[in-house]
Amino acid sequence: PSNTGRVLSIQSHTVQGYVGNKSAVFPLQLLGYDVDPINSVQFSNHTGYPTFKGQVLNGQQLLDLIEGLEANNLLYYTHLLTGYIGSVSFLKSVLEVVDKLRSINPNLTYVCDPVMGDEGKLYVPEDLVSVYREKVVPVASMLTPNQFEAELLTKLRIGSETDGRKACKILHAAGPSKVVITSINIDGNLLLIGSHQKDKEQAPEQFKIVIPRIPAYFTGTGDLMTALLLGWSNKYPDNLDKAAELAVSSLQALLQRTLNAYTSAGFDSKSSSLEIRLIQSQDDIRQPKLTFKAHKY
Ligand code: ATP
Ligand code: PLP
Ligand code: MG
Ligand code: NA
Ligand code: MG
């Protein structure tokens, strides 16, 4: 167990607002990690706004940065974290980065949020799906798909808790010893399912957390959730359930604060996606009050 680490985080950057690295770097720092961000894109704002402008990093440019770090012996990381990736060529460069980092630290933990879509809609090019399934999942240590992404990766339709648990087992067999399906929609509520395969010979330890759905739409929460799961699961390496309780408790406190801020400003929270109150929630990130309980199966 380690309280700290050095994380290479390859994610989006937005000038305004909190998604990607903007949503992951600050909380990881608050939890005591050194975080080195590589910005896979730099956009003015997230893509849910009517318009956005900016630049996209290509795979070769990613490898250039890695080469620069390597040339100075700066490529020792305990963790690699990746989120939204927009092209097959960039994803293939990320795979090269995984190999390179593991050649320097064989114990590198690769936390992968296989961002591909949500609620039945794909928002990356379709040819990314098989690369995630066949090349990325096998090298990931921890995977944090949502329901739709877990379906794409396992080719299993997830309509129940049992299906969610089965999907986790399929994913374990393919690679990662830790899997958190960050939400499954079940009759109006959200269900998180966590699964830790501690021993290849035995069934994984599995648990669920029931999360009431807040009637609003937030951005940056998936990226924040994965960052918190990385942060806490490294501190409690044998208690994924505890790590998930802490991550969910922080995130839900932040979502309530976000909702309250919009509501008290007289804003209709259902009319557009809400920017999370990340900085204002720093105490909830550093010292979450445990308000959510994991139930072991
Ligand atoms: P997921 O499908 O788990 O939601 P995702 O990658 O699609 O993963 P988000 O949709 O942003 O990311 O959600 C991440 C987490 O944020 C969820 O696990 C849930 O805990 C929380 N969350 C997001 N939206 C809501 C909401 N409206 N009400 C309650 N919790 C939410
Ligand atoms: N990255 C970028 C550039 C985005 O525009 C968005 C959402 O619009 C995200 C990431 C996704 O954020 P999340 O899935 O965490 O809500
Ligand atoms: Mg979602
Ligand atoms: Na997720
Ligand atoms: Mg997501």
Side-chain angles (χ1 to χ4, degrees):
S2 172
N3 246 338
T4 183
R6 184 161 203 99
V7 184
L8 182 66
S9 179
I10 306 175
Q11 301 202 62
S12 313
H13 169 82
T14 53
V15 176
Q16 195 280 151
Y18 298 95
V19 300
N21 270 334
K22 283 287 290 290
S23 186
V25 174
F26 176 69
L28 282 168
Q29 289 172 332
L30 283 177
L31 294 180
Y33 294 85
D34 280 301
V35 189
D36 294 355
I38 291 181
N39 297 327
S40 52
V41 307
Q42 171 167 242
F43 290 160
S44 51
N45 46 263
H46 75 64
T47 55
Y49 283 92
T51 180
F52 65 94
K53 298 282 277 181
Q55 299 83 36
V56 178
L57 194 74
N58 67 39
Q60 188 51 52
Q61 291 166 327
L62 166 63
L63 296 177
D64 286 345
L65 293 170
I66 297 297
E67 203 180 300
L69 293 169
E70 189 182 19
N72 295 299
N73 276 321
L74 298 173
L75 214 49
Y76 179 87
Y77 288 99
T78 59
H79 294 77
L80 171 67
L81 171 60
T82 65
Y84 176 82
I85 290 168
S87 70
V88 167
S89 64
F90 196 86
L91 187 53
K92 289 196 165 155
S93 294
V94 167
L95 285 164
E96 288 187 44
V97 174
V98 176
D99 281 351
K100 173 72 57 194
L101 296 182
R102 287 222 166 107
S103 74
I104 294 165
N105 176 13
N107 293 320
L108 174 92
T109 299
Y110 173 26
V111 177
C112 174
D113 185 2
V115 178
M116 292 185 282
D118 209 347
E119 293 171 11
K121 278 218 294 286
L122 201 64
Y123 42 63
V124 295
E126 209 187 323
D127 52 1
L128 244 77
V129 178
S130 63
V131 182
Y132 267 113
R133 193 193 302 118
E134 285 152 29
K135 301 264 197 306
V136 181
V137 168
V139 298
S141 317
M142 176 155 93
L143 207 67
T144 60
N146 60 34
Q147 176 176 9
F148 179 56
E149 291 155 352
E151 291 181 340
L152 291 169
L153 294 174
T154 60
K155 301 182 179 176
L156 185 77
R157 161 97 186 93
I158 302 173
S160 67
E161 274 179 65
T162 312
D163 294 341
R165 296 174 64 189
K166 205 185 285 175
C168 290
K169 288 185 189 164
I170 295 173
L171 292 167
H172 289 314
S177 60
K178 291 178 184 172
V179 175
V180 177
I181 303 180
T182 46
S183 75
I184 293 178
N185 276 298
I186 286 179
D187 28 78
N189 274 329
L190 302 175
L191 196 68
L192 174 149
I193 293 186
S195 188
H196 185 184
Q197 176 109 55
K198 291 185 173 170
D199 175 345
K200 282 251 182 290
E201 309 303 307
Q202 274 171 26
E205 291 179 12
Q206 299 190 315
F207 61 89
K208 67 172 171 182
I209 301 179
V210 180
I211 304 164
R213 176 187 290 283
I214 299 167
Y217 187 79
F218 305 92
T219 45
T221 46
D223 305 322
L224 174 57
M225 183 66 184
T226 299
L228 294 172
L229 285 168
L230 185 164
W232 288 115
S233 67
N234 183 56
K235 294 174 195 279
Y236 298 100
D238 297 322
N239 299 82
L240 187 59
D241 52 341
K242 165 109 181 183
E245 285 174 347
L246 289 159
V248 169
S249 296
S250 288
L251 183 57
Q252 293 301 316
L254 169 145
L255 294 184
Q256 283 302 336
R257 177 171 294 101
T258 301
L259 193 66
N260 292 344
Y262 278 95
T263 307
S264 56
F267 186 90
D268 175 11
S269 293
K270 287 178 208 72
S271 69
S272 75
S273 132
L274 309 183
E275 288 279 5
I276 55 174
R277 291 295 189 268
L278 182 65
I279 308 303
Q280 298 79 353
S281 301
Q282 55 187 285
D283 292 344
D284 294 313
I285 292 167
R286 248 191 304 247
Q287 281 158 340
K289 287 186 207 65
L290 267 184
T291 48
F292 284 81
K293 188 96 198 82
H295 300 277
K296 293 186 190 178
Y297 287 106

